[in-house]
């Protein structure tokens, strides 16, 4: 007899719990992917000032930089929104995920770094 069955839980309940845990982990991995994409957009946007520093007209380089950093921030916001929705759904079923506070702090820090980078290269 398995541990779950000896504790009075059916195999179906155990499998549901495992599925919820897998869903929580998948949600965290998905947010990490959104974060990597956002970081890539921000990094390429900031690197554009070094790669294309002689680009004329100068405003075009600024539009490219601000556009890519802005896109990165939007991607991060979308990823946070998506994670927030799935985390709340999982919390209702009793599954715990990484705290929204930590995920939000990461998102704000990354977005803040992008904005500071734009200000520094402007």
């Amino acid at each position: 007899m398995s541990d779950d069955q000896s504790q009075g839980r059916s195999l179906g309940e155990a499998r549901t719990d495992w599925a919820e845990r897998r869903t929580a982990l998948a949600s965290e991995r998905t947010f990490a992917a959104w974060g990597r994409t956002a970081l890539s957009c921000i990094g390429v946007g900031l690197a554009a000032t070094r790669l294309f520093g002689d680009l004329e007209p100068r405003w075009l380089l600024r539009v490219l930089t601000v556009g890519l950093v802005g896109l990165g921030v939007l991607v991060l916001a979308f990823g946070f929104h998506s994670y927030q929705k799935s985390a709340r759904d999982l919390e209702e079923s009793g599954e715990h995920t990484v705290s929204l506070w930590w995920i939000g702090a990461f998102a704000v820090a990354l977005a803040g770094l992008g904005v500071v980078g734009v200000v520094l290269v402007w």
Side-chain angles (χ1 to χ4, degrees), residues 18-67:
W18 299 333
E20 288 172 348
R21 186 66 195 140
R22 283 191 304 271
T23 302
L25 293 171
S27 180
E28 292 167 11
R29 284 191 306 271
T30 301
F31 178 74
W34 283 110
R36 285 190 303 273
T37 303
L39 185 60
S40 296
C41 288
I42 291 169
V44 169
L46 296 177
T49 59
R50 297 298 258 171
L51 294 171
F52 306 112
D54 298 332
L55 184 67
E56 292 295 331
R58 192 78 179 145
W59 64 266
L60 187 59
L61 180 59
R62 288 187 175 158
V63 167
L64 178 66
T65 299
V66 171

Side-chain angles (χ1 to χ4, degrees), residues 3-122:
D3 289 335
D4 286 327
Q5 289 174 340
S6 66
Q7 295 173 355
R9 297 178 59 203
S10 71
L11 183 58
E13 289 171 331
R15 287 184 176 173
T16 298
D17 291 344
W18 299 333
E20 288 172 348
R21 186 66 195 140
R22 283 191 304 271
T23 302
L25 293 171
S27 180
E28 292 167 11
R29 284 191 306 271
T30 301
F31 178 74
W34 283 110
R36 285 190 303 273
T37 303
L39 185 60
S40 296
C41 288
I42 291 169
V44 169
L46 296 177
T49 59
R50 297 298 258 171
L51 294 171
F52 306 112
D54 298 332
L55 184 67
E56 292 295 331
R58 192 78 179 145
W59 64 266
L60 187 59
L61 180 59
R62 288 187 175 158
V63 167
L64 178 66
T65 299
V66 171
L68 283 169
V69 170
L71 178 64
V73 171
L74 286 175
V75 164
L76 196 57
F78 182 79
F80 177 75
H81 176 72
S82 175
Y83 179 81
Q84 181 182 31
K85 182 180 178 331
S86 62
R88 289 206 173 129
D89 290 344
L90 286 165
E91 288 287 331
E92 287 177 7
S93 69
E95 182 63 42
H96 297 288
T97 60
V98 174
S99 168
L100 285 176
W101 190 91
W102 285 110
I103 297 293
F106 170 77
V108 167
L110 187 56
L113 287 173
V115 170
V116 167
V118 166
V119 169
L120 290 176
V121 301
W122 197 266

